[in-house]
């Protein structure tokens, strides 16, 4: 598993990637601010959302509104992502769309920030674990994709429905209950099934007897 830190430091970020942002204008001056908006295409593979449930289709527009703030340790990124996700209702399986409004905040640290104020007695193993959960700047650039993915997933419903009152599908025949509100199946109590079968057998036997003469009638006539 590649840590977030390793991916950032060794991945050689491409400034042409629309989800890669430049922080050089902040100049590592604590308190410096930069606001920007950008419209990007939703990344794919995996889907931007919950795979197999609901997500923003690859290539669909995602509107980003960001605030970059320089602090001692790095750049604090606060923002909002807006997009339209597509999926299907978990009750009736009909297609649906959901407007996503995801908020996020993440610190992108300077590569040398971990050396500041750190005790000489710090455990290297603890440092490695901390780096797993940190994002780092690379040559003044940061990649927002991982942060964006996490924020969108948290903003989406885990079990999307076309409407809160959706009645779903009939468990026996699969028909949509909203379109057929009076739909039902006559339920048969399995405890009476055996007796019903016995009653049918008796009725069939009575019908057979009605087609023949009563016992002993022919004998009386012969005498």
């Amino acid at each position: 598993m590649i840590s977030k830190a390793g991916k950032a430091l060794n991945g050689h970020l491409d400034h042409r990637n629309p989800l890669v942002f430049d922080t050089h204008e902040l100049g590592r001056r604590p308190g410096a601010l930069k606001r920007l908006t950008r419209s990007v295409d939703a990344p794919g593979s995996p889907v931007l959302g919950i795979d197999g449930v609901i997500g923003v289709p690859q290539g669909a527009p995602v509107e980003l509104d960001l605030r970059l703030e320089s602090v001692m340790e790095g750049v604090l990124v606060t923002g909002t992502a807006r997009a339209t996700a597509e999926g299907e209702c978990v009750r009736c399986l009909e297609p649906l769309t959901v407007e996503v409004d995801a908020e996020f905040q993440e610190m992108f640290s300077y590569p040398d920030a971990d050396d500041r104020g750190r005790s000489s007695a710090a455990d290297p193993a603890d440092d490695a674990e901390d780096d797993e959960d940190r994002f780092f700047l690379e040559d003044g650039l940061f990649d927002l994709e991982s942060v964006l993915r996490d924020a969108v997933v948290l903003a989406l419903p885990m079990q999307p429905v076309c409407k809160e009152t959706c009645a779903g599908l009939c468990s026996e025949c699969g028909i949509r209950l909203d379109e057929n509100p009076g739909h039902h199946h006559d339920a048969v109590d399995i405890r009476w099934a055996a007796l019903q079968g016995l009653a049918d057998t008796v009725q069939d036997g009575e019908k057979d007897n009605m087609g023949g003469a009563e016992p002993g009638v022919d004998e009386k006539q012969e005498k």
Side-chain angles (χ1 to χ4, degrees), residues 88-198:
E88 64 179 28
C89 176
V90 296
R91 297 178 187 171
C92 68
L93 306 183
E94 287 294 304
L96 56 79
T97 59
V98 174
E99 296 303 317
V100 185
D101 194 346
E103 297 182 352
F104 51 86
Q105 185 175 74
E106 188 63 58
M107 170 69 73
F108 288 86
S109 302
Y110 296 121
D112 57 348
D114 56 343
D115 295 329
R116 301 179 181 181
R118 177 169 291 180
S119 170
S120 58
D123 187 343
D126 292 339
D127 295 344
E129 290 180 2
D130 290 342
D131 286 349
E132 286 286 342
D133 298 324
R134 299 176 67 187
F135 289 94
F136 285 86
L137 294 166
E138 179 188 339
D139 296 329
L141 304 176
F142 68 87
D143 188 346
L144 192 65
E145 182 172 340
S146 294
V147 175
L148 177 62
R149 287 187 181 280
D150 290 345
V152 170
V153 168
L154 291 175
L156 288 171
M158 296 298 292
Q159 294 187 319
V161 292
C162 58
K163 58 182 179 179
E164 292 299 327
T165 58
C166 177
L169 304 176
C170 173
S171 59
E172 295 191 31
C173 66
I175 196 172
R176 286 194 67 197
L177 298 178
D178 279 348
E179 296 177 353
N180 300 270
H183 176 76
H184 72 282
H185 293 270
D186 293 330
V188 177
D189 193 328
I190 60 174
R191 293 174 297 179
W192 295 103
L195 293 178
Q196 183 62 44
L198 179 61

Side-chain angles (χ1 to χ4, degrees), residues 43 46-52 54-56 85 149 152-153 156:
V47 68
L48 186 61
I50 306 171
D51 193 21
I54 188 171
V56 181
R149 287 187 181 280
V152 170
V153 168
L156 288 171

Side-chain angles (χ1 to χ4, degrees), residues 76-90:
L76 181 64
V77 179
T78 305
T80 303
R82 297 180 178 86
T84 301
E86 298 178 0
E88 64 179 28
C89 176
V90 296

Side-chain angles (χ1 to χ4, degrees), residues 194-211:
L195 293 178
Q196 183 62 44
L198 179 61
D200 293 341
T201 301
V202 172
Q203 290 178 0
D204 291 341
E206 291 177 349
K207 291 179 181 179
D208 291 341
N209 290 335
M210 290 176 64

